[in-house]
Amino acid sequence: VDVTDAAITSAVKPNLLADTRVGGVKIDVDTNDGVVTLTGDVASKAEANEAVRLARGTEGVRSVTNKLRVTTR
């Protein structure tokens, strides 16, 4: 069953918000043809990696494009 892009985005965002290792509020999620693009600022490379891992684990996601930027707060 194909999952719509909107459904994927709607599933990824709460996963990012629920994970204490990821500052999901500052991460934008966009999905196009099953490819999730994450953009925004994160505090560390580990946070970016965790966000990508969470997105990849979401049903319907074909791949994840990481455009997250590590910034010092």
Side-chain angles (χ1 to χ4, degrees):
V1 177
D2 281 344
V3 181
T4 66
D5 290 338
I8 292 170
T9 298
S10 295
V12 171
K13 191 67 176 172
N15 289 345
L16 297 177
L17 291 170
D19 193 304
T20 57
R21 295 165 290 187
V22 178
V25 175
K26 296 182 184 284
I27 298 174
D28 290 319
V29 179
D30 186 49
T31 309
N32 187 20
D33 291 330
V35 178
V36 173
T37 301
L38 302 175
T39 55
D41 295 339
V42 293
S44 67
K45 184 72 174 153
E47 185 178 339
N49 290 340
E50 182 65 10
V52 169
R53 186 189 71 74
L54 288 168
R56 279 196 181 119
T58 304
E59 183 181 356
V61 174
R62 291 193 358 232
S63 68
V64 176
T65 301
N66 180 1
K67 293 189 176 180
L68 296 169
R69 190 174 58 184
V70 177
T71 60
T72 53
R73 292 197 172 110

